Amino acid sequence: ISLLNKTKKIIFISKWLKNQFFKGINKRDYNKKCIIIPHATNKKKINFKNKENLIIFVGRLNKSKGYDLFGKAIENILKKHPNWKGIVIGDEPREAYNFKHNNLKILGFRKHHQVIKWFKKSEISVVCSRWEEPFGRTALEASSSGCAVIISNKGGLPEASPKAIKLNKLTSNSLENLILKLINNKNLRKSLQKKIYKHFYLTNNFISNKIDSYRDKLILDLL
């Protein structure tokens, strides 16, 4: 409350984060002091015909991000579908997992432009976080790259990728079944990719205009 009384505006990156901030506070008294400006990225140029049979996980390789769920699921999936590959990008020195398969490539940390190249090639992207993501950068980048995105219904993830498929249960079995559903139904997979890509709107240009609009209003208020 002290912070709200001292500031002109508080900018949040998601509706979820704003709601968390206002727990125990009457939001109506301060609603005009708040604005939501999400993260943004460029909408990638995609040729859906160039997508490869890749299932990608990007992020910290820990339980908070649901990597243990993904690892168990992807091992089973690759045994059933040897023409598919799993791609893992990220690291985590505090936790150790030993998921192995000839078609599972764990690449470690990669620079942003390299990650984007993998997203553009991948058919399916999995963001199965257990913790409440303030927004969800990975889901954002996957959506802008035309992936069929699977997310957990945590924090701001549904805002980062509104058209993504949501996991009903955060278990490796549920995740495995959902990925298999997309693998076995090409029409469903391609339809989801195109729907997510078509409805992607959180571009750098869109958010830049939103920030400029706020700045212009702020200047007028100060005059």
Side-chain angles (χ1 to χ4, degrees):
I1 292 173
S2 175
L3 184 63
L4 284 162
N5 289 332
K6 290 177 182 176
T7 54
K8 179 77 177 177
K9 266 308 190 219
I10 297 183
I11 299 174
F12 299 93
I13 58 171
S14 66
K15 293 178 183 177
W16 178 86
L17 199 59
K18 177 182 173 183
N19 290 335
Q20 292 297 109
F21 181 86
F22 277 102
K23 279 187 174 180
I25 303 173
N26 190 338
K27 186 163 58 177
R28 287 176 297 179
D29 295 342
Y30 299 99
N31 211 32
K32 290 182 180 179
K33 282 201 168 190
C34 301
I35 185 171
I36 297 169
I37 300 180
H39 290 167
T41 190
N42 290 321
K43 191 172 186 178
K44 315 305 184 291
K45 291 183 179 179
I46 300 296
N47 184 342
F48 288 97
K49 293 180 180 179
N50 292 336
K51 290 280 188 182
E52 300 175 21
N53 289 353
L54 302 176
I55 305 159
I56 189 169
F57 179 100
V58 177
R60 286 284 184 180
L61 309 187
N62 57 34
K63 286 185 178 181
S64 292
K65 292 289 187 179
Y67 179 61
D68 57 320
L69 305 179
F70 177 82
K72 291 175 184 176
I74 200 67
E75 282 184 329
N76 291 335
I77 288 165
L78 297 179
K79 289 174 185 176
K80 298 173 184 175
H81 292 274
N83 60 324
W84 281 75
K85 292 181 180 179
I87 302 296
V88 173
I89 299 176
D91 54 22
E92 176 55 88
R94 298 166 297 179
E95 295 183 26
Y97 295 94
N98 193 33
F99 300 118
K100 287 184 178 180
H101 190 280
N102 289 338
N103 285 351
L104 177 61
K105 308 300 179 186
I106 301 175
L107 304 180
F109 176 81
R110 289 290 185 270
K111 292 182 179 179
H112 180 259
H113 73 276
Q114 295 172 312
V115 177
I116 297 304
K117 285 182 179 179
W118 281 108
F119 273 136
K120 290 172 70 175
K121 291 194 293 185
S122 297
E123 288 272 0
I124 300 168
S125 175
V126 177
V127 190
C128 52
S129 295
R130 281 190 177 89
W131 85 297
E132 306 283 3
E133 299 275 358
F135 181 70
R137 184 85 203 184
T138 301
L140 177 82
E141 295 287 11
S143 300
S144 74
S145 302
C147 295
V149 184
I150 297 172
I151 61 171
S152 55
N153 193 17
K154 292 288 186 178
L157 282 174
E159 296 174 61
S161 186
K163 301 298 180 180
I165 293 182
K166 297 183 185 68
L167 271 169
N168 292 325
K169 294 181 180 179
L170 265 175
T171 66
S172 58
N173 284 339
S174 294
L175 179 57
E176 180 182 340
N177 290 336
L178 198 47
I179 294 173
L180 287 173
K181 184 177 180 180
L182 292 176
I183 288 175
N184 293 326
N185 190 333
K186 183 178 179 180
N187 289 336
L188 174 64
R189 187 172 74 248
K190 291 299 180 183
S191 174
L192 179 62
Q193 289 173 354
K194 291 175 182 178
K195 180 169 70 172
I196 289 173
Y197 187 72
K198 177 182 177 181
H199 289 277
F200 182 81
Y201 71 97
L202 294 174
T203 63
N204 290 333
N205 186 55
F206 175 81
I207 296 300
S208 293
N209 289 335
K210 194 176 180 74
I211 293 170
D212 288 342
S213 177
Y214 165 65
R215 285 176 176 158
D216 292 343
K217 187 177 183 305
L218 184 63
I219 292 170
L220 289 174
D221 289 345
L222 293 173
L223 294 177

